[in-house]
Each structure stands twice: as C-alpha cells, then as structure tokens.
Amino acid sequence: QVRLVESGGGLVQAGGSLRLSCAASVRTFSPYAMGWFRQAPGKEREFVAAMTSNGGSTYYADSVKGRFTISRDNAKNTVYLQMNSLKPEDTAVYYCGAHLSGSFYIVSSYDYWGQGTQVTVSS
C-alpha cells in the first residue's frame, strides 16, 4: 500500500509563489515516477508536471512551463512542486500521483493518488 499526502497549498496573490510537497508512505520510493495534476471546479483533472523515477527527466504542461519546477528527494520519499509567477488560472486542487509504468500525461496511468491540496490565486 502506497499513501501519498500533499501539503503546502494556500491562498496567494497573482505573481506569488508556493511550494507543494507530496510525502509518500512506502518502503521504496525510488522505483516510482511521480506526477502532479490539478483539477479546477467543473474541469477534468489535468497534467501539470512529472518526473522519472531516477529524476533524470522532467515533463511540464505548456501552461506551466517556465514557472513550475518538479523535484524529488528519494531519501525523504517526497516530491515537490515549486510554483512561481502564479496566475488566477492556476487555482485548483493539486494532486500528486505515483506510477510504475504508463504515460506521464494520463490520469489513468497512475497507480496511487494523494488527497489533494487547494491552491487559490487571487487577482
């Protein structure tokens, strides 16, 4: 059983920054690729960022490229999402996911999900 817990969400003004964390309760964290998704009211859960299990490659949605950075610390079983230059359209519940195989971009490919953390960006 893998449990993921997100934290770090909150309310910020446009242009501000937040760092989200996702802590994994698992014996071995390193085999999992990790991703961040978000879901705004009335919308489907959408891909934000992902990182391979060894941290060698990262992937970003065009909407966040250049503003968000995904990283991981396998020693702490934690993945992070640094969000800079936040915009009101970034407002959503942010979820982290873990998977062993499949597309980084597709929700259904992820094996485990956290409960989500709310990010609200005011104009």
Side-chain angles (χ1 to χ4, degrees):
Q1 179 68 39
V2 176
R3 289 186 288 182
L4 306 174
V5 180
E6 301 95 334
S7 62
L11 192 155
V12 297
Q13 293 183 335
S17 299
L18 286 173
R19 190 182 76 160
L20 306 184
S21 299
C22 176
S25 297
V26 60
R27 176 176 175 82
T28 305
F29 184 59
S30 57
Y32 293 93
M34 300 295 297
W36 286 96
F37 288 71
R38 66 188 182 187
Q39 187 167 18
K43 297 183 178 180
E44 296 181 347
R45 191 171 298 189
E46 67 174 356
F47 171 78
V48 175
M51 174 171 279
T52 54
S53 59
N54 63 4
S57 298
T58 57
Y59 308 86
Y60 297 95
D62 288 341
S63 60
V64 307
K65 194 173 299 181
R67 300 188 298 120
F68 291 9
T69 303
I70 187 172
S71 61
R72 65 190 292 160
D73 186 340
N74 287 347
K76 296 181 178 180
N77 286 8
T78 301
V79 63
Y80 305 94
L81 185 69
Q82 178 66 46
M83 306 185 296
N84 299 325
S85 301
L86 283 162
K87 305 174 181 179
E89 51 263 43
D90 295 319
T91 296
V93 177
Y94 283 71
Y95 300 88
C96 67
H99 70 98
L100 295 174
S101 63
S103 173
F104 295 114
Y105 306 100
I106 300 175
V107 170
S108 61
S109 71
Y110 285 76
D111 302 298
Y112 305 97
W113 291 99
Q115 84 291 344
T117 185
Q118 177 71 48
V119 172
T120 302
V121 184
S122 62
S123 60

